């Protein structure tokens, strides 16, 4: 199964999960976990854990992943 998604699909996926709790424009770690488990389970089959992935994405360290920060994940997925 291909993990490739269009930019529009990725934006709607981000928005769907970001809206679940707290700030609707930001992904908490719990929201990121749900997103990955449902949409990109293969990402966590490698050596990296959810904690590591979250740290990598949360560049400004505020404990949330913005859509801009999410682009790093988008690049991983499209590799
Ligand atoms: Ca949120
Ligand atoms: Ca952040």
């Amino acid at each position: 199964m291909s993990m490739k998604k269009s930019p529009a699909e990725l934006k709607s996926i981000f928005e769907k999960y970001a809206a679940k709790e707290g700030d609707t424009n930001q992904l908490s770690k719990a929201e990121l976990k749900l997103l990955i488990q449902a949409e990109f389970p293969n990402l966590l089959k490698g050596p990296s854990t959810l904690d590591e992935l979250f740290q990598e994405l949360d560049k400004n360290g505020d404990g949330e992943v913005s859509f801009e920060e999410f682009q790093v994940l988008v690049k991983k997925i499209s590799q």
Side-chain angles (χ1 to χ4, degrees):
M1 186 185 82
S2 170
M3 294 207 294
K4 291 222 166 131
K5 304 217 189 279
S6 72
E9 282 176 305
L10 287 163
K11 185 152 201 320
S12 86
I13 287 170
F14 176 88
E15 287 170 349
K16 176 180 162 190
Y17 289 90
K20 288 187 183 293
E21 64 175 32
D23 189 328
T24 55
N25 294 313
Q26 306 251 17
L27 281 175
S28 66
K29 195 185 280 185
E31 287 167 337
L32 179 72
K33 186 177 179 187
L34 290 173
L35 187 159
I36 300 280
Q37 284 175 339
E39 310 288 343
F40 310 108
N42 290 343
L43 273 182
L44 293 181
K45 285 187 181 143
S48 66
T49 65
L50 183 78
D51 282 347
E52 286 166 348
L53 183 63
F54 190 84
Q55 270 194 329
E56 190 184 340
L57 295 180
D58 184 18
K59 291 257 185 273
N60 68 357
D62 67 352
E64 305 257 16
V65 172
S66 65
F67 187 65
E68 195 189 331
E69 290 169 340
F70 183 69
Q71 298 312 306
V72 172
L73 184 70
V74 170
K75 288 201 190 87
K76 272 185 195 288
I77 293 161
S78 50
Q79 265 167 15

